[in-house]
Amino acid sequence: MPMSNPEPRPGDTFLATLDERGRITLDLPVPTDESITYSAEERIGDGPRLVYELTLPPGKAAVELTAPIVERQGGASAADAQYRERLYAAVGRITVAGGQVEASLKRSLILLSPERGAAFVDVDLEWFRLEAAIREAVDSAESVLGRRVVRLLDLAARNRLRERRNDAVHGAWWPFDGMAGRVSRWPRRSEGYITNVDLRALEEVGAKLERLVQALNDLVRERWPVVTLPRDDRPTGSFGV
């Protein structure tokens, strides 16, 4: 990676870039008996410039900045608090809607494969395996419901909704203002990587997941129990109390 000095000294500033694999691997002098702190300046494409300090522990020969400890000097700032409020709302929405998607897929799979049983415990699978089982059931038996569910799954796949849900929910966010929506991610049996997510795009993921839930539920509502709550727009306070 390009650096301002081929052999930076402690306190020197080096330039860092996020490569096409989403990794920042640094070639810096090895600390010996004590930690060494450098100043880093990183560009996110044509976007913002990130400035931070990097402290290497003694004896650390190579650094892969996928999973560093990230902290703010002096503790989180007011700007960090505002950023976190929006980030946590977006990730929370994705978490709730993603769980609802899996519940909807379980309903579909039960109706498509009655031999599996009629309870969620009989389809105790996560999204990837639920989708695979639904597609298998549709391939082996003609079903109008199955074809409609698969069309929705195809649309979700084109929008990478499952992967984007997993990145949001299972990633390690750098929850600080000015970090360009940075999140570290370690998919199973894969090397970790860093990505930067625009918060507006993250919020749209939640909205798309909610629309997917509604569409899936509409397909099975005539064949599944439905709870309808009374309409009351008055606020009830925290936790409905």
Side-chain angles (χ1 to χ4, degrees), residues 94-111:
I94 290 171
T95 302
V96 172
Q100 291 175 330
V101 168
E102 292 190 341
S104 298
L105 293 178
K106 289 177 181 181
R107 296 183 191 105
S108 297
L109 182 56
I110 288 171
L111 293 175

Side-chain angles (χ1 to χ4, degrees), residues 120-187:
F120 273 24
V121 69
D122 301 307
V123 288
D124 187 19
L125 307 170
E126 47 80 30
W127 185 334
F128 178 82
R129 295 172 63 196
L130 284 166
E131 181 170 344
I134 287 172
R135 292 183 182 277
E136 181 181 356
V138 173
D139 287 342
S140 61
E142 183 69 17
S143 168
V144 174
L145 170 63
R147 291 199 303 272
R148 290 175 176 172
V149 172
V150 166
R151 279 199 293 270
L152 291 174
L153 289 172
D154 287 343
L155 179 60
R158 287 196 294 274
N159 284 277
R160 297 186 62 253
L161 289 186
R162 182 177 62 84
E163 292 86 350
R164 293 166 77 183
R165 188 282 302 261
N166 288 344
D167 284 347
V169 174
H170 299 300
W173 289 91
W174 299 32
F176 296 93
D177 182 59
M179 295 306 301
R182 174 158 293 194
V183 59
S184 297
R185 181 80 168 93
W186 302 274

